[in-house]
Amino acid sequence: MAEPSKLPRDPAPAAPSPGGITARALAGRSAAYLGTLNPEQREAVETLDGPVLVLAGAGTGKTRVLTTRIAHILNLGRARPNEILAVTFTNKAAREMKERVGQMVGQAVEGMPWLGTFHSIGVKILRRHAEMVGLKSGFTILDTDDQIRLLKQLLEAEGIDDKRWPARVLANLIDGWKNRGLVPAQVPAGEGASFANGKGRKLYEAYQARLKTLNAADFGDLLLECIRLFRENPEILKQYQRWFKYILVDEYQDTNVAQYLWLRLLAQKADNEPPKNICCVGDDDQSIYGWRGAEVDNILRFEHDFPGAKVIRLERNYRSTAHILSAASHLIAHNEGRLGKTLRTEDVPGEKVQVTSCWDSEEEARGIGEEIEQLQRGKHNLDQIAILVRASFQMREFEDRFVTLGLPYRVIGGPRFYERAEIRDALAYLRVIAQPADDLAFERIVNVPKRGLGDATVQMLYDHARRQRIPLTVAALTLSATDEMKPKPRATLRALMEDFARWSKLKDTMPHTELAEMVLDESGYTDMWKANKSADAAGRLDNLKEFVRSMEQFENLAGFLEHISLVMDTDRRENEEAVNIMTLHSAKGLEFDTVFLPGWEEGLFPSQRTLDEQGRAGLEEERRLAHVGLTRARKRAKLYFATNRRIHGLWTTTVPSRFLDELPAESVEVNEAQGGFGMSGYGPSRFDEMNFGSNYATPGWQRAQRANRERSGGFDETGAPRSGRGGRGFGERRQIAYERDEDAGTYDSGERRDFSEDAPPARAPKRRTPLTIEGELVAKSTGTVSAFSVGDRVFHQKFGNGNVTAVDGNKLTIHFDKAGEKRVVDSFVERV
């Protein structure tokens, strides 16, 4: 393919004149593809001159319009395949577009090198002109890990503490600046000063310079450097402007500032030239990615950016029934920042949108599970059922319920709840407490969060455990009491084993939910995610809170872990029908016969975090997200809200989402709750259904009652509201004073105290001494009589030759010739 810089300077031949021989011959070509379009779609395909904005509502056939438009341009000979720039957001969308165009025009599609994602096309342009931006054509594209490693080097060179100012946070800052098209000199002073005491912009500049030295670019550079190339080299920009006769853009509402600037440069018209032929397809009502840099204003100001642009609205929906479309259109009409359109269908009205209230999230999951079972009995394909949640922590309740019912399910856009990394980590801590011989669990969290126990330390534990045929926890306990390791990792390992011993002792006396909170807090795991500034850190903390809440329905830790093993062991067959569970953001572009939308409550949906951070703009994006959720449904949309929900670790009496009252009454059917719960009228509480039998003195009954009283609030025996503990959320530091039994060498849990400003200070914990884990196991493993005796001459790989001076089980005290006296395990020495 010829490069724009090497194209001949001769002017391109003029387009066929209307009514001429060429035009009549081209018109005679078969254009059967136009016969499948409705009038608005056909107008969008045939309007080839000048700027065009196609406002394509959900399910109106935007992909068909885009691909048919490309085929029409090629069929009429208005441009060669390599003179069309067609931009998408994902490789999947690019492949689908190429396949559809190929079905209409055949092999001509293979000559379309400029059909792809923003970044793939940016790479092609940069490699052709790399020298103009300080790179060589073979430059490397860094992945995220390489980017973090490079930033860590820069932080170290500047003497900046990576723990206080993490490299990942700086990487997110730089990525945000690049998404906004900002080079270091353009970063606002206030933003540049927000990192490392004012060094953010300087570090960004040093990072860009280092990339040039390494002949590398990161993902953001693929567009940022293209923008700089075009701005600093107008002649190169003009070559591409002349070369691309038609520009087509998919999902224009999701473009960020850098993508917008890149397109604007390519679509600029020079003086005395006709307007550029640019066609953008999008839906301002489906702009839901503002949190990752998308600017809905890009599509709203299209007519301002391209004067004389023609706006074509695709409003005939081919997906959903009339009631669903009416509900979605009525809801989104409350947004002010939109160009406006109303979806319609010629299909039957169908079922009304159903709204159901529940007492709590457990009843919500139970009700949805029962509805799905009824649909399944009616031969409804499970693949055509979806549950769309606002936050990923909502998934756990449904996954547990479906495992109980035996309903197959799949999580789209991410792992299942108990397969998420943060949940696996939390489970690993609890598994080690319940079963110290669980080597796989111990290996997972021995250095999570990072404690300075590197690969060498772990390998030493492995070697010793393998030689002695003992668990890793026993090996850790043994080696932390000897001189085999360096002092720092030895002290860290000893402290960790003391923690596990203490937690293990408490598991039989403390409610397992409180124990889980204590473990996650005292291990530093919660603080690790609090310090993490990545976009998903807040969601991971929410998942951990939901994880602790999921333990409440089990009597003890052992029962909970057994349940988890069953959940994790659920067989997933690739070709088996299964209910789809995903977040609303992951559902964009998908469609299902039946869609369940749980959690329509203030604070959850719309998200309070979004409202706090973005105000009215955030509210409008949340409403667009609700619109997307409704329009995923073909035949049935079922909305749920709960009166009580655990949010951020606390039971809260929730208020129904404002979006519910924005739905049209004529298209909504309200399901009255069955039964009654005194004052609420939303049905019985799950606590009413608890049946502990006649023995009210059992530990399980007492623990459940205590948990209900202390954490759940609710109502007392007289029906009066109970205040509960309320003010304390998961993740807050709680301190427990431990009294040491000097004779036994163990600790007993003392009074629980809150170290708040109003609470009196508790007595400081006394210095702990090493404790044993599973004392019997340790005794069996380490209490054997050593084969060595006092006076034996031995050799140690690290300390050299020495003489045994004392023997304590399998531990030897040895006076080494050069290293002095050390205490080691006998398996590490051999006779001389």
Side-chain angles (χ1 to χ4, degrees):
M1 184 195 73
E3 299 179 13
S5 59
K6 299 178 181 178
L7 295 176
R9 295 290 183 177
D10 296 336
S17 58
I21 296 176
T22 305
R24 283 160 37 207
L26 289 172
R29 289 186 183 179
S30 172
Y33 51 81
L34 294 177
T36 64
L37 306 176
N38 66 35
E40 294 82 11
Q41 290 174 333
R42 182 159 183 165
E43 181 184 12
V45 167
E46 294 184 316
T47 305
L48 299 180
D49 297 323
V52 177
L53 174 62
V54 180
L55 283 178
T60 57
K62 72 173 182 63
T63 305
R64 172 186 288 186
V65 166
L66 205 57
T67 53
T68 306
R69 183 181 172 91
I70 294 174
H72 195 54
I73 292 170
L74 295 174
N75 196 41
L76 295 181
R78 299 287 291 267
R80 293 189 290 267
N82 63 346
E83 294 174 333
I84 299 175
L85 172 63
V87 190
T88 67
F89 270 85
T90 65
N91 290 317
K92 178 183 177 182
R95 287 193 300 271
E96 181 182 355
M97 189 182 298
K98 203 165 188 176
E99 289 172 3
R100 290 200 188 189
V101 175
Q103 292 170 1
M104 288 184 274
V105 299
Q107 294 301 314
V109 72
E110 298 303 325
M112 294 187 65
W114 303 105
L115 191 161
T117 65
F118 280 95
H119 292 91
S120 66
I121 293 172
V123 169
K124 290 182 181 180
I125 294 174
L126 276 187
R127 293 207 186 279
R128 286 165 168 76
H129 310 281
E131 293 79 5
M132 307 298 290
V133 293
L135 295 169
K136 298 178 182 177
S137 60
F139 63 83
T140 302
I141 302 173
L142 298 187
D143 59 19
T144 303
D145 289 341
D146 291 335
Q147 185 182 6
I148 298 296
R149 193 178 307 117
L150 177 55
L151 288 172
K152 284 183 176 180
Q153 294 174 6
L154 294 176
L155 290 173
E156 184 177 356
E158 289 288 330
I160 297 172
D161 184 4
D162 181 58
K163 293 183 178 178
R164 183 179 179 188
W165 304 103
R168 190 171 296 276
V169 175
L170 180 58
N172 289 335
L173 273 176
I174 291 175
D175 186 58
W177 290 330
K178 291 186 176 182
N179 285 341
R180 289 159 56 193
L182 301 177
V183 297
Q186 296 172 320
V187 173
E191 294 185 28
S194 65
F195 185 86
N197 298 321
K199 295 183 178 179
R201 186 161 62 179
K202 179 182 177 183
L203 288 167
Y204 180 17
E205 189 174 356
Y207 171 68
Q208 291 299 97
R210 183 64 176 153
L211 286 177
K212 295 298 188 292
T213 302
L214 297 173
N215 191 35
D218 64 20
F219 204 61
D221 283 331
L222 302 182
L223 289 182
L224 186 68
E225 294 291 8
C226 267
I227 294 171
R228 187 162 73 90
L229 170 72
F230 292 154
R231 284 175 170 169
E232 295 178 358
N233 302 275
E235 69 286 354
I236 294 178
L237 175 60
K238 288 180 180 178
Q239 290 171 4
Y240 281 98
Q241 289 173 339
R242 286 196 300 264
W243 181 252
F244 295 133
K245 294 184 177 180
Y246 285 91
I247 299 175
L248 299 95
V249 187
D250 191 16
E251 303 286 8
Y252 189 59
Q253 79 281 350
D254 291 334
T255 53
N256 59 33
V257 175
Q259 292 161 342
Y260 166 79
L261 292 174
W262 185 80
L263 283 169
R264 277 293 310 276
L265 287 167
L266 288 172
Q268 280 178 353
K269 84 178 190 69
D271 294 337
N272 302 321
E273 286 188 5
K276 296 294 293 186
N277 299 321
I278 179 171
C279 175
C280 293
V281 180
D283 182 5
D284 53 326
D285 291 336
Q286 295 190 71
S287 179
I288 60 174
Y289 298 117
W291 50 275
R292 69 183 187 196
E295 289 280 350
V296 68
D297 286 347
N298 293 347
I299 193 170
L300 296 180
R301 63 169 174 253
F302 185 87
E303 292 177 275
H304 177 268
D305 291 336
F306 301 98
K310 185 166 187 176
V311 179
I312 301 172
R313 289 172 169 80
L314 304 184
E315 298 174 313
R316 180 177 174 183
N317 179 281
Y318 292 91
R319 176 190 299 158
S320 306
T321 61
H323 281 311
I324 293 173
L325 293 180
S326 173
S329 296
H330 202 277
L331 173 67
I332 200 62
H334 288 77
N335 271 6
E336 296 178 3
R338 61 190 297 260
L339 296 173
K341 63 183 174 302
T342 302
L343 297 178
R344 67 180 191 278
T345 182
E346 297 177 6
D347 202 353
V348 295
E351 297 181 19
K352 292 186 176 182
V353 174
Q354 294 185 8
V355 176
T356 304
S357 63
C358 305
W359 171 252
D360 60 10
S361 56
E362 185 175 310
E363 184 181 307
E364 180 182 66
R366 185 167 61 248
I368 290 177
E370 290 171 357
E371 283 208 58
I372 292 176
E373 284 189 313
Q374 291 178 3
L375 291 170
Q376 189 180 29
R377 285 192 287 270
K379 305 303 181 183
H380 193 302
N381 188 325
L382 292 183
D383 287 335
Q384 289 301 321
I385 298 175
I387 299 174
L388 310 183
V389 298
R390 176 61 184 88
S392 60
F393 74 82
Q394 293 175 258
M395 295 181 185
R396 197 276 310 169
E397 203 90 56
F398 296 103
E399 293 189 48
D400 280 354
R401 185 63 187 167
F402 291 170
V403 168
T404 302
L405 296 175
L407 269 175
Y409 71 92
R410 67 174 69 90
V411 174
I412 296 178
R416 298 190 294 179
F417 183 82
Y418 292 109
E419 293 175 350
R420 298 176 186 275
E422 65 275 16
I423 303 303
R424 283 184 174 272
D425 289 342
L427 280 170
Y429 273 103
L430 298 180
R431 283 167 53 190
V432 174
I433 291 169
Q435 175 51 267
D438 192 335
D439 283 359
L440 293 176
F442 183 75
E443 177 191 1
R444 182 181 182 92
I445 48 81
V446 67
N447 199 38
V448 177
K450 292 190 181 298
R451 303 183 174 92
L453 300 176
D455 294 340
T457 302
V458 175
Q459 188 60 48
M460 183 179 292
L461 294 178
Y462 264 125
D463 292 342
H464 181 61
R466 191 163 44 247
R467 282 195 300 268
Q468 298 297 310
R469 297 184 179 180
I470 57 176
L472 284 176
T473 50
V474 178
L477 193 66
T478 303
L479 293 182
S480 66
T482 67
D483 297 322
E484 296 290 340
M485 296 181 180
K486 294 180 180 178
K488 187 173 180 180
R490 183 170 70 242
T492 301
L493 189 61
R494 185 187 302 121
L496 178 63
M497 300 316 296
E498 289 176 12
D499 285 339
F500 271 117
R502 177 165 47 82
W503 297 331
S504 184
K505 182 180 177 63
L506 291 171
K507 79 175 187 295
D508 297 322
T509 58
M510 176 181 284
H512 53 293
T513 52
E514 294 184 13
L515 177 63
E517 291 182 9
M518 176 189 291
V519 170
L520 292 173
D521 280 353
E522 295 184 356
S523 66
Y525 193 77
T526 302
D527 287 340
M528 178 188 78
W529 284 114
K530 284 182 178 179
N532 189 301
K533 302 302 181 184
S534 62
D536 61 347
R540 292 181 187 272
L541 284 169
D542 286 342
N543 289 340
L544 289 172
K545 295 165 190 171
E546 179 65 19
F547 168 75
V548 173
R549 190 177 83 80
S550 71
M551 302 173 68
E552 292 178 355
Q553 59 186 293
F554 300 93
E555 185 174 345
N556 52 42
L557 180 60
F560 172 69
L561 293 176
E562 181 178 330
H563 167 75
I564 295 303
S565 66
L566 295 175
V567 173
M568 300 286 277
D569 194 46
T570 301
D571 185 22
R572 291 186 295 170
R573 300 179 180 88
E574 292 298 325
N575 298 323
E576 182 184 28
E577 287 185 19
V579 178
N580 303 281
I581 307 176
M582 71 195 83
T583 64
L584 284 159
H585 284 100
S586 300
K588 189 168 180 294
L590 304 178
E591 55 187 67
F592 306 91
D593 284 347
T594 301
V595 171
F596 292 91
L597 296 159
W600 280 47
E601 301 130 30
E602 289 294 310
L604 179 56
F605 193 36
S607 162
Q608 190 61 47
R609 184 181 296 139
T610 301
L611 299 184
D612 291 343
E613 293 175 357
Q614 302 176 39
R616 176 169 290 279
L619 174 62
E620 295 210 345
E621 179 157 322
E622 290 288 295
R623 191 175 281 114
R624 291 194 291 268
L625 193 56
H627 173 81
V628 167
L630 284 169
T631 53
R632 299 309 95 195
R634 295 194 192 101
K635 300 177 180 178
R636 302 173 195 86
K638 299 174 179 286
L639 281 54
Y640 284 76
F641 67 93
T643 309
N644 302 279
R645 189 179 295 274
R646 179 73 70 84
I647 299 177
H648 303 311
L650 294 174
W651 276 107
T652 305
T653 299
T654 58
V655 176
S657 172
R658 70 190 74 186
F659 298 155
L660 293 172
D661 283 334
E662 294 175 356
L663 300 173
E666 62 274 11
S667 295
V668 174
E669 178 183 339
V670 177
N671 291 336
E672 298 294 338
Q674 299 299 315
F677 179 66
M679 292 168 287
S680 74
Y682 290 129
S685 164
R686 63 190 177 98
F687 299 126
D688 288 351
E689 299 172 4
M690 288 184 175
N691 181 11
F692 297 100
S694 60
N695 184 6
Y696 292 103
T698 61
W701 184 86
Q702 293 174 345
R703 187 173 300 127
Q705 292 298 94
R706 183 168 61 249
N708 293 348
R709 288 196 305 271
E710 295 183 357
R711 289 206 311 283
S712 301
F715 304 90
D716 62 19
E717 293 78 2
T718 67
R722 183 184 291 121
S723 61
R725 207 157 33 192
R728 178 185 298 139
F730 169 68
E732 296 179 12
R733 284 286 182 180
R734 296 167 294 110
Q735 304 226 6
I736 298 178
Y738 292 92
E739 299 296 335
R740 178 168 179 249
D741 184 335
E742 297 290 349
D743 296 327
T746 60
Y747 293 81
D748 293 324
S749 177
E751 179 186 358
R752 296 186 79 234
R753 305 177 185 178
D754 285 329
F755 282 63
S756 62
E757 294 180 1
D758 299 328
R763 182 171 54 186
K766 296 181 180 179
R767 182 178 177 84
R768 303 179 191 141
T769 56
L771 307 179
T772 59
I773 293 181
E774 298 291 332
E776 184 180 357
L777 179 60
V778 175
K780 288 181 178 179
S781 303
T782 63
T784 56
V785 178
S786 176
F788 294 92
S789 304
V790 175
D792 285 350
R793 185 72 171 169
V794 296
F795 172 77
H796 188 279
Q797 189 73 30
K798 179 179 179 181
F799 302 125
N801 293 318
N803 296 315
V804 178
T805 59
V807 179
D808 179 15
N810 66 339
K811 298 184 181 68
L812 307 177
T813 302
I814 303 173
H815 185 82
F816 290 99
D817 298 344
K818 295 183 179 180
E821 191 170 88
K822 301 288 182 181
R823 197 161 186 249
V824 301
V825 181
D826 61 1
S827 61
F828 283 85
V829 301
E830 55 187 47
R831 297 181 188 277
V832 175

